[in-house]
Every structure is written in C-alpha cells, then in structure tokens.
Amino acid sequence: MKIIVGVAGGIAAYKTCHLVRNFKESGDEVRVIPTPSALNFVGAATFEALSGNPVRTTVFEAVDEVQHVRLGQEADAVVIAPATADLLSRLAAGRADDLLSATVLVATCPVIVAPAMHTEMWLNPATQANVDTLRRRGITVLEPASGRLTGVDSGPGRLPEAEQIADLARMVVAGAALPRDWEGKRVLITAGGTQENLDPVRYLGNRSSGRQGFALAEVAAQRGARVEVIAGATEDMPAPIGARVRRVVSAREMAQAVAEWSPQADAVIMAAAVADFRPAAQAEAKLKKGGDDAALGTLSLVENPDILRGVVRARERGEIPARVVIAGFAAETGDDTHSALDYGLAKLERKGCDLLMCNEVGVGKVFGERRNRGWLLRSREGQPAEVTELQDASKHVIAGAYLDTLNVALGSRLLQR
Ligand code: CTP
C-alpha cells in the first residue's frame, strides 16, 4: 500500500516515528508530510530516514512535480497522527495552506485522523464541531486515548500507541468502517485467559492472548460505545483506546465482576477464555514434589461457573434487563463425526445467548494470532440460527463484523420487548 503519514505540530509527533516504522515493516510504501510546525518537534531527516522518501511541507517545494496532486491521487490511505486542534480546524474549513492540507483535499482514498491535544482543547465545542464535520464527510476521526498528557495533566487527548493507530487504519482501508452506531450504548467485554492458582507460584492457564477481546473493545469504543473490559491474563498490549479496564485473575473473580457490571450494560460480550475447572484446593505455601502433598501428582479439580450461561440465566430471571444482548465465542475443534461449525451451533443453543462467533482452534490457530476467521451464529426466535462466514481477516476487521451483527441482535431484542 502507498500510505501518506501526515504529522501536525504536537509533542506526540515523536510517536509518529514508530507509526512510520510499523507501516514500513509491513511492506507499505510511506511518504511523510509534516506541517511546517511539526518540524519543531521532529526533524525532516528523521522522517526521511525512516520512510526512505523525501520530506516536504509546502506546495512550493518540488513545484515541477505538482506534489499535492500526485501524492493525493496515488495514495491508498492518508493517516494523520497526531492531528492538532489547529489542523482539525483547517481540514474542516477545507483549507489548503500547506502540503498536508492540500493533499487531503485531493485524496479520494480513506483518510484516518488521530487527534492528540490537551483535554480542554479536545472537549472544546469548536474542536468537537470540527470533528463532527470531518466525520460527516467520511473522514475517520479516531477517539484519542485517555491518560498522561504532557506535564502532570491527565484525561482524553493522548495519541494512541503506533500499533493501535496502524491496526485501526488498516481496518478502515480494508473496508470496515467505524460508524458511530454504538453511541450512547454500554458494552461489557471480557478478554484474555483466566488463571486458576494451585499454590503461590503455579497456576492452570490457557493460551488466550486477549487480542480479539481488546480489538472488540477498541472498535466498539471508536464506534461511540462506553466500554468496560474485564481482563484476565493477556499478552503485553496497550489498554484498548477509550475503554475502562479492570484486571482479574480467576474465573470466579471474572464472574463476580461480570455480575456487578452486566445490569448496566446494553451488550455483554464474553471473549475471555475462561478456565472450565480450577484446583479443588489452593495451597497457601508452595507444594513440594517430594513432600506429603499428593496435589502435584494428581490434581483434583472442581468446575468453575459458566459465566456466559450465568448472564443468560440472570436475564431469564429478570435480574438484568431483557434488552441486554449477550454474545460469546465458541472455540472448537472438529472431529470425525462433527465439524467445528456443528459444535458451534450446538453451543449457541446450549448457552442460550444471542450471538456466538465460532472458530476452529488449535496450536498456532487463532490464539495469539493477529488474524481470525470462522462463522458468526445469530440465534433467531423460532427459526434456525443465521450463519455468516467470516473470511480470514485482522482481529479488528472481525470485531467490526461482530459488532455489526450484534447491533442487529440488539435491535431485534428491543423490538421483541
Ligand atoms: N465461557 C464462560 N464461562 C466458562 C466457560 C466459557 O463464560 N466457564 C464462555 C466463553 O467466554 C465463551 C463461551 O463461553 O464466550 C464458550 O467458551 P468455550 O470454551 O468454547 O466453551 P465451553 O463452555 O467451555 O464448552 P466446552 O469447553 O465444553 O466446549
């Protein structure tokens, strides 16, 4: 892909170096176009070295090449990070007073903008009006992350990590839009694997990376939802942008957190790999292999609560509102008699939830991978489940398709009531 990386004059411009690297390492051709003020933060030489291409900021350089027209026409994507309040305002007004803004006016490819500024500037009605204008015109304006800003301030306005911007930008370029259709809705998502302690140093765990759950959280938040994540063990990843994350360890802790938060949610998504069993006893001191403790040789296990089934039962009993839509995943391996899809459909029925994504798992398949594939199974009142095949795609693209179908399921629950 030919990607234009635009950079505006904010302190977060140093993170753009990682973004350029990320695209280059994926084999993309990158042209960096900083605004003149961005060069106060990172020099042109850095961007030239990282992108392998010349860096220009005004339309009056290399005039014979009519750069703003050529670059804008040839690009497959324009990704601007960071975008300052000033740049958002200039883009919303349709100005063309530097090479970057002129290029955006020419570009017909997807344009993805990642704003970064102080919280007050971000929340200012002028900035928000500019963001609305750009979104209405089909430009993807990402929600900023929350957290530490320059100095001691903290709040929304942080530039997301390079990997997060790149994942979301690639998702948009792949054709998965980020409409604001989840605005005003609350989504609870579990992610990662639970760990069941045996003693202070050992536990039973699983291979879940948490990537699919975090991608769902990130995409739901970008689509306007208020997102709470209950995370077990995950790979080392930045917290999903715009989501509140609570960490838990065991299945029982996760069940407790889900019970607390699900009554306020509109949608509950169980993406966590919950351990089905835990050791019957948890030793206070480390178990010794030569000692009297039989536990190390023969593990005695007891069943964990089925959290997904528990949320469905709570809805049946009226403990959580009937409008809440409940969804999960089905990690299956097929066998001689049944396919993974057969097992997934049986699980949808058994769990009683509204939506399941069924995927075939195994060593090196799905867990920890950045891509996923499978089937979306949506239960329908009095009819066979609707099955939609999802082709191999990034976990962000899969998250987008999952949220599209979940929104349909949410709509039909609201209609039923
Ligand atoms: N799940 C859950 N609580 C459990 C086990 C699973 O909430 N104790 C949820 C998972 O988060 C997932 C769905 O149930 O959304 C299916 O998980 P999976 O491991 O495929 O199924 P199990 O119910 O464990 O069934 P089995 O292992 O027999 O296939």
Side-chain angles (χ1 to χ4, degrees):
M1 268 201 314
K2 283 190 176 165
I3 302 183
I4 291 178
V5 174
V7 197
I11 180 72
Y14 75 92
K15 288 190 183 174
T16 314
C17 301
H18 295 281
L19 184 63
V20 174
R21 263 191 110 134
N22 185 306
F23 286 134
K24 283 290 283 184
E25 279 168 10
S26 307
D28 296 313
E29 153 119 35
V30 182
R31 276 296 289 250
V32 182
I33 309 183
T35 61
S37 54
L39 297 180
N40 290 318
F41 294 95
V42 179
T46 304
F47 289 132
E48 287 190 342
L50 288 171
S51 68
N53 273 315
V55 165
R56 295 183 183 117
T57 59
T58 73
V59 288
F60 298 109
E61 295 159 273
V63 177
D64 55 320
E65 293 174 28
V66 202
Q67 291 185 87
H68 61 292
V69 176
R70 189 175 56 80
L71 294 173
Q73 282 173 341
E74 287 178 359
D76 297 304
V78 178
V79 182
I80 304 178
T84 54
D86 178 67
L87 181 66
L88 291 176
S89 153
R90 289 195 292 118
L91 294 180
R95 294 186 63 125
D97 38 11
D98 56 21
L99 183 58
L100 179 56
S101 53
T103 304
V104 170
L105 279 185
V106 172
T108 50
C109 61
V111 178
I112 298 102
V113 176
M117 64 199 72
H118 271 84
T119 304
E120 292 84 347
M121 293 176 90
W122 170 246
L123 295 178
N124 189 293
T127 306
Q128 289 299 311
N130 289 330
V131 169
D132 287 345
T133 302
L134 293 172
R135 281 181 177 155
R136 269 200 309 279
R137 287 190 198 138
I139 290 185
T140 302
V141 183
L142 300 181
E143 288 294 316
S146 271
R148 188 85 199 279
L149 302 167
T150 335
V152 292
D153 301 0
S154 167
R158 245 175 91 86
L159 189 71
E161 298 308 315
E163 185 186 335
Q164 295 176 304
I165 299 171
D167 284 342
L168 287 165
R170 283 200 192 96
M171 168 187 177
V172 172
V173 174
L178 289 170
R180 306 285 297 175
D181 56 347
W182 281 83
E183 215 142 56
K185 295 172 196 156
R186 299 181 66 146
V187 182
L188 174 60
I189 301 174
T190 65
T194 67
Q195 294 181 344
E196 311 297 326
N197 289 339
L198 189 54
D199 65 18
V201 291
R202 304 182 181 93
Y203 62 83
L204 300 180
N206 60 63
R207 294 177 193 277
S208 173
S209 65
R211 280 192 181 278
Q212 186 63 72
F214 274 33
L216 274 162
E218 213 147 75
V219 175
Q222 292 298 336
R223 284 169 69 160
R226 279 180 63 188
V227 182
E228 320 267 12
V229 179
I230 301 169
T234 62
E235 268 177 19
D236 190 18
M237 283 180 289
I241 311 156
R244 202 161 66 135
V245 181
R246 174 163 162 189
R247 291 277 171 188
V248 294
V249 177
S250 67
R252 284 187 300 173
E253 281 172 37
M254 187 171 274
Q256 172 72 34
V258 169
E260 268 170 40
W261 284 1
S262 48
Q264 292 92 48
D266 294 289
V268 177
I269 305 175
M270 289 288 312
V274 184
D276 291 319
F277 292 90
R278 67 177 181 277
Q282 187 184 321
E284 297 279 322
K286 188 184 167 199
L287 298 168
K288 300 282 185 204
K289 64 175 181 294
D292 300 333
D293 300 309
L296 269 186
T298 318
L299 281 182
S300 176
L301 302 175
V302 289
E303 202 167 338
N304 268 329
D306 185 325
I307 306 174
L308 181 57
R309 188 81 197 97
V311 185
V312 172
R313 286 229 178 86
R315 187 176 66 182
E316 286 163 2
R317 289 197 296 261
E319 291 159 10
I320 64 171
R323 67 177 154 77
V324 178
V325 74
I326 304 169
F329 281 78
E332 303 293 344
T333 52
D335 56 27
D336 295 345
T337 54
H338 293 88
S339 68
L341 177 58
D342 294 336
Y343 283 122
L345 285 165
K347 192 170 282 181
L348 177 70
E349 184 101 350
R350 205 166 62 239
K351 298 262 183 184
C353 57
D354 303 293
L355 179 72
L356 267 190
M357 176 168 174
C358 170
N359 34 35
E360 264 189 294
V361 291
V363 177
K365 256 190 195 169
V366 182
F367 285 127
E369 297 283 301
R370 284 163 173 274
R371 299 179 74 79
N372 201 352
R373 60 189 293 179
W375 302 269
L376 274 180
L377 317 178
R378 180 167 75 90
S379 73
R380 291 179 301 180
E381 194 79 17
Q383 287 180 67
E386 176 190 78
V387 179
T388 312
E389 184 165 3
L390 298 182
Q391 304 290 341
D392 178 75
S394 76
K395 287 186 171 173
H396 281 73
V397 169
I398 297 283
Y402 192 102
L403 289 165
D404 289 344
T405 307
L406 192 61
N407 215 359
V408 174
L410 182 62
S412 53
R413 282 208 75 78
L414 290 172
L415 278 181
Q416 276 167 33
R417 291 193 320 133

